[in-house]
Amino acid sequence: MNAFLQAITIGIPQGALYGLMGFGIAMIFRSAGTLNFSHGYSAMVSVLITLTTIEWFFDAGIVEGHAALFAAIPVGLISGAVFGVLIDLLLMRRVKHVSPASMLMITLGLLLVFEGTANLVWSPDYESFPRILPGPPFIFEGTGALEEIRVVFRRNDLAVMLIALVISLSLAAVMKYTKIGLAIRARGQDPVGAQAVGINTNRVDSIVWGLALLLATVVGILVAPITRVHPTMLMNTQLLGITAAVLGGFSSLFGAVWGGLMIGVLERVIDIFPALDGYETAIIFFLIILVLVFKPQGIFAPKQGRKA
Amino acid sequence: MLEVADLRVSYGPIHAVNGISFTVGEGEIVSILGANGAGKTSTLFGIMGIVRSRGSVKFRGEELRRRSPTEPTSKGMVLCPENRRIFPGLTVEENLRLGTFVRGEFKETAEQAYSLFPILKERNRQIAGSLSGGEQQMLAVGRALVANPEVLLLDEPSLGLAPVIVDEMFRVLADLRKKMAVLLIEQNAVKALSISDRAYVLQNGSIVHSGEAGAMLRDDNLRKAYLGM
């Protein structure tokens, strides 16, 4: 019982990050039409830029202590958005009309470029990264009948959950109520239809790439204290982010967030059983295969109308 | 009102449209006829800035830059694309609202679309993907009309529809004449000519014939040579 509660407490914030990662991946998939294999790697470079900025602020003595992190975060986020827009403008726009396969190959190439850049310009070492909310963990202990309960909740996870919640809600509002959100959804449903109502789909694609990689940078900054900063720090998050998007069905963006939460919790719950230790990823991917076979639209996909 | 001069569209080494020129006057219905692959859709895409094109497109005497469909659409040239291209996951009303993305006031123009196609009002809250083919075509035309077009560019509105629905569609199109100019692209030449003022015949990306619609309908040689009737 206690182990389950503990697994869920750690799994939810972790899953929220997979979900945000998956949201960006699904957004690029639906709108720009490719699976971005470099998603986590460009975010990793943005995290390195954030870290370097923190150190620079520190050395220059401009900002003191923890404030340096918050001063550096905007720099990191902007770099994420800039990477996204540049990838779209310089690379994707040229091959968009050629074939989806060429876009996919470019994202695989970018993965290597980002990883190589991190190794060359920075280093393959593991660097520590400051937490948003430093301090000792919260410990919840039951009393009376619940005496056996003792759940540890990492303080930084509070920040992770709040940020993930605020971002999810604001993204939902943007997608539903703003003009640009409407344009993104329309472009994802039918590119020619979107152009017929006057939407500049090239501009939508740039915005989607920028927004998705900015989001990935947020995830990178939030996981960095746990994974530490190194060239493959987001490999696992990206893989499970793609999984979350598959699980949620690429047809609904917020399905990815739910999918991510499920994966995060599942990963920790599997962890409870010593016999299954080390098989978390294998079990999760086995479930993905089941989903793809029995419900290929994703488990949260809305009922589709007949195709006419 | 719309003057196209020496329009060229190519996809890599393939020339889809080889420098065609045509005009659409105020309140006129003009048809572009031709077989599959003649360059009809490329012509519309070029005019609207959906694909890159060379040549000149003037709307009310003003040269269009055609970098994206936003500019022509906001000026009043509205495309109703081939194969409907509605948004299948959105409701009928959301589809119509998107029609006013860059032009038109939904509250004012929606009633007009609903009165032309009452079925759309009935199916207001239904997911557009669940409509029948004919209803989807009406939605596509409705979505173009809510943008309050000055020139409506219609690409194959009869494609894949039952004959009775095609008749209904052309009855509505003939009625539009009083409110806007229409550039109609069709394979169904007889239907198209019967409501048009003038027509152009497109073959392999070039205009091979043009004239009054009525005269073209009566010209046996032309019908045999180009329209396959």
Side-chain angles (χ1 to χ4, degrees), chain A residues 194-212:
Chain A
Q195 296 188 84
V197 301
I199 292 169
N200 183 343
T201 47
N202 278 333
R203 187 172 300 165
V204 170
D205 287 351
S206 292
I207 292 171
V208 164
W209 273 95
L211 192 61

Side-chain angles (χ1 to χ4, degrees), chain A residues 47-115:
Chain A
V47 173
L48 278 169
I49 290 173
T50 315
L51 189 62
T52 307
T53 314
I54 294 175
E55 283 161 2
W56 184 77
F57 278 147
F58 231 73
D59 293 342
I62 299 171
V63 198
E64 293 288 313
H66 204 54
L69 171 63
F70 294 100
I73 284 175
V75 178
L77 296 183
I78 290 168
S79 79
V82 168
F83 283 147
V85 174
L86 286 182
I87 290 173
D88 181 55
L89 288 181
L90 301 180
L91 301 169
M92 295 305 169
R93 188 163 296 184
R94 287 160 201 277
V95 299
K96 202 151 41 175
H97 305 293
V98 183
S99 80
S102 43
M103 291 168 81
L104 200 69
M105 290 313 291
I106 286 179
T107 73
L108 281 169
L110 281 171
L111 184 160
L112 298 176
V113 168
F114 282 120
E115 195 180 350

